[in-house]
Amino acid sequence: MSTGVETREFQAEARQLLQLMVHSIYSNKDIFLRELISNASDALDKLRLQALIDKDLEVDASDLHIEIEVDREQRTLTVRDNGIGMSRDEVVTLIGTIAKSGTAELLRKLKEAKDTASQELIGQFGVGFYATFMVADRVTLLTRRAGETEATRWESAGEGTYTIEPVDEAPQGTTVTLHLKPADAEDQLFDYTDEWKIKEIVKRYSDFIAWPIRMTTERPGTAEGEEGETVSEVATLNSMKALWARPRSEVSDDEYKEFYKHVSHDWNDPLDIIHMKAEGTFEYEALLFVPAQAPYDLFMRDSKRGVQLYVKRVFIMDDCEALIPEYLRFVKGVVDAQDLSLNISREILQQDRQIQLIRRRLVKKVLSSLKELMDNDADRYRTFWTQLGRAVKEGLLNDFDNQRAILDISSFASTHDAEQLTTLAGYIERMKDGQEDIYYMTGESRTMIENSPHMEAFKAKGYEVLLLTDPVDEMWVESVADYDGKKLRSIAKGQVDLDAADDDAASDPERDQQKEQYAPLLTWLGKTLDEQVKEVRLSTRLTTSPACLVGDAGDMTPALERMYRAMGQDGPKIKRILELNPTHPLVSGLREAYGARADDPVLAETAELLYGTALLAEGGELDDPARFAKLLADRLARTV
């Protein structure tokens, strides 16, 4: 075995985060102890679970606990557990680097942020072990993984490097020793060797931890023979009561908030607390939380999701995905079931009937709680939807059992109000007499949609249109047939006849005359632009633009087509329909020119330009931008 001490550098992102911790960007430094205790608790959970699964693992799990030790003379604080421990490679991976995606972006935002903003960003990310450098000049870690003989010592002053070395003998578990900075009241850096301060922090942040947190304390002697002496004794600092097993009336909001921070590693308070208990055929308790801020990795492919699963108070696993659908992946908390096997695996969970039933009930409870939030607290609901609405809408694609409940809690931008969002129920209340459909349009931004040629007739006649700008909107609108009997209808697809909806004569003589007059031009344009469009027709949706492109009712939108192509799913290019505004001077002029000189090659160029402008007007991409630019430049040159 090598006995040498090896000096290594932190990963670049870890080094930057360490510097932020060292320079104390977070004012509440007490949380370092919460983070260490939380890590120790996780290690004890994992050891007990491993001992249940692996009967050959030689470990003593009879007295699992967390120990806090202070040395006032040396100014050290030690947090020790006899949990699962770490191997050398795990120490390097978990402490020497930050393996989380998005770290660089987080650090950039932290440097730009000030005060409370930086606190919120840290809360989104969670820094765990690194928080120790807010209060310590040097940190030493000694650990031995359960079942292994070699231990590892790690040490760093947070200056960019750390030392790591093998150790022959060490107890099972992990010991973290902090060489504390001098107390500084102005900087809210307290003396963390004070017994009362440690008791206060544990009571506030970690009272619910399921394992005993022990510390040697001192008290005045009271028994016979102890008078006048100071007596030392080992005290348990936490109550160890599972919050989810206690009636809500007995738990304070502060206790719930600290428990949320423990299970989520978020430093912010939760937006909503959901407590439920099921009795009967099978029993379980659940304590769930909705965050006030979207997790930094909400839309990252490798992000973890799910809640903690316990069986009869025994921790089974973190991130139990089988209990929470992906669109509610932001929900954190605990589910404690009474009748599951302690050896249940993630694979078995997916098929387990009880788990599936618990999942259905949890989803319904979360959605109904969010509906209550929407009905009773507009400000908190607005926070929820702004932060997490994009993820919730994903459920419209595959959770058909709860599709109506998801629609009920959804809000959308619309032309009715430039600032406030609307529900579908609110839209229906404002529908014009005779209106049968809920009109919407998808696009990259509100501005792009509002300026789209497709909107012209709807603006002119005062019809409200939902403005859907999230990428997921392109997909879920195809999965939702209607809401309260009103079909959802894209204003960029199919035929739109608002005159008929206004009870005007559907067979307008003037329109019939226009169709007859334009028939030759439409036929010629259809042939000329055959490679680009499948049909050319007169429009009833345009009032000021010369042309626009629309899809058939069942066609995929161009944006959705691009999304599939980006995912490597190439399909046949979908041709669209070119609609012309017969009252626009360009279109009427083109009709007259075609009638006078049908063989003029310049007219074919005009047709290309007309199609290109319609494509650009909706934010589309030209197949041959250089050719379009040349045709346009040549045409402009003739007008100068």
Side-chain angles (χ1 to χ4, degrees):
M1 181 184 73
S2 171
T3 57
V5 179
E6 183 181 356
T7 300
R8 302 181 63 152
E9 289 191 356
F10 284 101
Q11 176 202 42
E13 288 87 354
R15 193 161 58 246
Q16 293 175 55
L17 189 55
L18 271 170
Q19 286 303 305
L20 291 170
M21 292 295 103
V22 169
H23 294 102
S24 306
I25 58 174
Y26 194 73
S27 58
N28 181 15
K29 296 174 178 60
D30 291 356
I31 55 82
F32 83 91
L33 187 54
R34 179 188 73 191
E35 297 295 310
L36 289 180
I37 290 173
S38 183
N39 289 345
S41 174
D42 289 345
L44 294 169
D45 285 339
K46 290 173 182 175
L47 179 70
R48 179 165 67 172
L49 180 61
Q50 194 64 34
L52 287 168
I53 295 172
D54 185 358
K55 300 301 182 184
D56 297 328
L57 186 65
E58 296 183 5
V59 294
D60 180 8
S62 60
D63 182 29
L64 299 181
H65 64 279
I66 300 166
E67 183 181 348
I68 299 176
E69 181 182 305
V70 297
D71 185 328
R72 296 184 68 88
E73 290 185 4
Q74 297 296 322
R75 285 200 52 75
T76 61
L77 171 66
T78 299
V79 177
R80 182 181 297 112
D81 69 72
N82 55 347
I84 194 71
M86 289 181 283
S87 67
R88 183 184 187 281
D89 288 345
E90 287 173 325
V91 171
V92 173
T93 300
L94 297 174
I95 299 178
T97 65
I98 301 179
K100 295 180 180 178
S101 302
T103 312
E105 177 67 10
L106 169 93
L107 291 166
R108 184 187 63 77
K109 290 181 178 178
L110 279 172
K111 289 175 181 176
E112 295 173 355
K114 303 290 183 184
D115 304 326
T116 57
S118 66
Q119 295 176 23
E120 290 174 358
L121 286 163
I122 295 172
Q124 279 183 276
F125 189 77
V127 292
F129 179 81
Y130 294 89
T132 55
F133 288 96
M134 293 193 295
V135 301
D137 289 320
R138 182 161 49 95
V139 178
T140 305
L141 178 143
L142 178 65
T143 185
R144 178 172 67 81
R145 187 169 181 81
E148 297 184 1
T149 56
E150 183 178 298
T152 302
R153 179 183 285 115
W154 176 100
E155 186 168 281
S156 178
E159 295 296 331
T161 63
Y162 61 89
T163 60
I164 190 166
E165 63 180 310
V167 178
D168 288 327
E169 294 184 10
Q172 166 196 303
T174 300
T175 300
V176 180
T177 300
L178 278 60
H179 303 265
L180 297 167
K181 296 177 181 179
D184 185 345
E186 289 186 6
D187 193 30
Q188 292 186 299
L189 182 60
F190 300 104
D191 185 352
Y192 294 107
T193 63
D194 279 348
E195 180 182 307
W196 70 268
K197 184 61 180 175
I198 293 171
K199 286 182 176 179
E200 177 197 56
I201 295 172
V202 171
K203 189 69 179 174
R204 181 187 303 166
Y205 295 118
S206 307
D207 190 58
F208 51 80
I209 293 292
W211 306 102
I213 303 171
R214 298 171 184 163
M215 185 173 76
T216 300
T217 60
E218 297 180 345
R219 63 170 177 80
T222 55
E224 186 176 343
E226 296 178 349
E227 295 88 346
E229 297 181 6
T230 299
V231 178
S232 296
E233 60 183 12
V234 176
T236 298
L237 306 184
N238 59 322
S239 69
M240 296 181 287
K241 292 180 180 177
L243 257 69
W244 61 87
R246 293 162 57 187
R248 183 156 189 171
S249 58
E250 295 180 8
V251 183
S252 70
D253 284 347
D254 285 342
E255 287 178 294
Y256 276 131
K257 290 172 183 176
E258 292 310 322
F259 182 73
Y260 164 72
K261 293 171 184 176
H262 168 67
V263 297
S264 68
H265 303 293
D266 184 356
W267 290 13
N268 302 301
D269 292 339
L271 184 71
D272 199 22
I273 302 166
I274 303 169
H275 201 164
M276 61 187 293
K277 183 175 183 177
E279 297 175 335
T281 309
F282 62 93
E283 299 180 1
Y284 66 89
E285 295 163 309
L287 179 56
L288 306 178
F289 301 91
V290 177
Q293 213 168 11
Y296 78 97
D297 58 354
L298 184 62
F299 295 103
M300 292 181 184
R301 187 173 295 179
D302 59 352
S303 65
K304 290 185 177 181
R305 64 179 177 88
V307 296
Q308 292 184 353
L309 175 63
Y310 284 71
V311 174
K312 297 174 185 172
R313 305 287 188 274
V314 177
F315 173 80
I316 300 299
M317 68 179 69
D318 266 321
D319 310 312
C320 181
E321 297 179 359
L323 286 170
I324 292 290
E326 190 168 2
Y327 71 92
L328 295 178
R329 57 189 174 274
F330 51 81
V331 173
K332 299 296 180 184
V334 168
V335 173
D336 189 351
Q338 297 300 306
D339 303 313
L340 292 175
S341 165
L342 291 174
N343 291 323
I344 194 164
S345 68
R346 289 186 185 270
E347 291 72 28
I348 295 172
L349 278 173
Q350 301 295 336
Q351 313 300 327
D352 189 88
R353 177 182 166 275
Q354 289 190 20
I355 287 290
Q356 294 303 314
L357 199 51
I358 293 174
R359 172 187 170 117
R360 285 198 292 272
R361 292 182 178 178
L362 292 180
V363 171
K364 289 187 182 301
K365 181 65 175 178
V366 170
L367 294 177
S368 64
S369 297
L370 293 173
K371 184 66 169 69
E372 289 178 18
L373 193 68
M374 178 189 226
D375 294 339
N376 302 320
D377 194 328
D379 288 340
R380 285 169 65 220
Y381 165 77
R382 194 176 300 113
T383 297
F384 154 73
W385 190 254
T386 300
Q387 292 290 324
L388 304 164
R390 278 178 60 195
V392 172
K393 286 188 288 187
E394 293 172 13
L396 295 170
L397 293 168
N398 44 40
D399 190 355
F400 299 110
D401 290 340
N402 293 297
Q403 194 176 74
R404 171 59 192 242
I406 298 171
L407 288 171
D408 285 342
I409 62 168
S410 298
S411 292
F412 310 96
S414 96
T415 54
H416 173 71
D417 192 307
E419 301 293 333
Q420 299 296 323
L421 303 181
T422 183
T423 61
L424 292 181
Y427 180 100
I428 290 175
E429 288 178 6
R430 295 187 296 272
M431 283 173 62
K432 294 167 71 76
D433 291 340
Q435 183 180 343
E436 295 297 326
D437 301 320
I438 297 172
Y439 295 118
Y440 73 87
M441 185 173 175
T442 58
E444 291 185 10
S445 68
R446 181 185 185 113
T447 301
M448 184 175 286
I449 297 174
E450 286 183 325
N451 293 329
S452 168
H454 302 91
M455 289 286 296
E456 292 172 1
F458 292 86
K459 285 181 181 177
K461 293 183 178 291
Y463 281 88
E464 182 177 353
V465 178
L466 300 180
L467 311 174
L468 309 181
T469 57
D470 289 333
V472 70
D473 293 332
E474 295 282 355
M475 294 180 281
W476 74 257
V477 289
E478 304 295 337
S479 302
V480 176
D482 65 84
Y483 183 84
D484 278 353
K486 303 294 184 183
K487 289 184 178 181
L488 273 70
R489 185 171 178 189
S490 170
I491 66 169
K493 288 185 179 182
Q495 294 273 16
V496 170
D497 194 349
L498 297 181
D499 288 336
D502 286 341
D503 294 329
D504 289 348
S507 56
D508 187 340
E510 184 182 348
R511 195 182 308 172
D512 291 340
Q513 185 180 0
Q514 283 178 339
K515 287 181 180 178
E516 187 177 333
Q517 290 174 341
Y518 277 86
L521 175 66
L522 299 179
T523 302
W524 173 77
L525 282 172
K527 292 177 181 177
T528 304
L529 299 173
D530 179 59
E531 291 188 9
Q532 288 84 18
V533 300
K534 60 181 170 185
E535 182 186 349
V536 182
R537 68 190 182 202
L538 296 183
S539 178
T540 57
R541 72 186 90 214
L542 296 174
T543 59
T544 57
S545 297
C548 70
L549 289 164
V550 301
D552 269 335
D555 283 353
M556 192 184 297
T557 65
L560 191 55
E561 205 179 340
R562 287 194 294 271
M563 285 171 60
Y564 279 119
R565 270 204 298 275
M567 294 186 289
Q569 300 180 27
D570 287 334
K573 185 173 176 62
I574 297 173
K575 290 184 180 181
R576 300 170 71 205
I577 300 165
L578 179 65
E579 288 194 349
L580 305 181
N581 178 2
T583 63
H584 193 280
L586 174 58
V587 176
S588 59
L590 182 59
R591 179 182 67 82
E592 292 171 2
Y594 178 74
R597 52 184 199 280
D599 296 330
D600 189 344
V602 173
L603 296 181
E605 295 179 356
T606 306
E608 276 191 70
L609 290 170
L610 185 62
Y611 167 79
T613 54
L615 188 60
L616 291 172
E618 66 173 19
E621 297 177 1
L622 295 165
D623 289 336
D624 190 347
R627 174 172 172 77
F628 181 84
K630 182 179 183 303
L631 290 176
L632 184 60
D634 289 347
R635 190 58 55 91
L636 290 172
R638 295 174 200 168
T639 65
V640 176

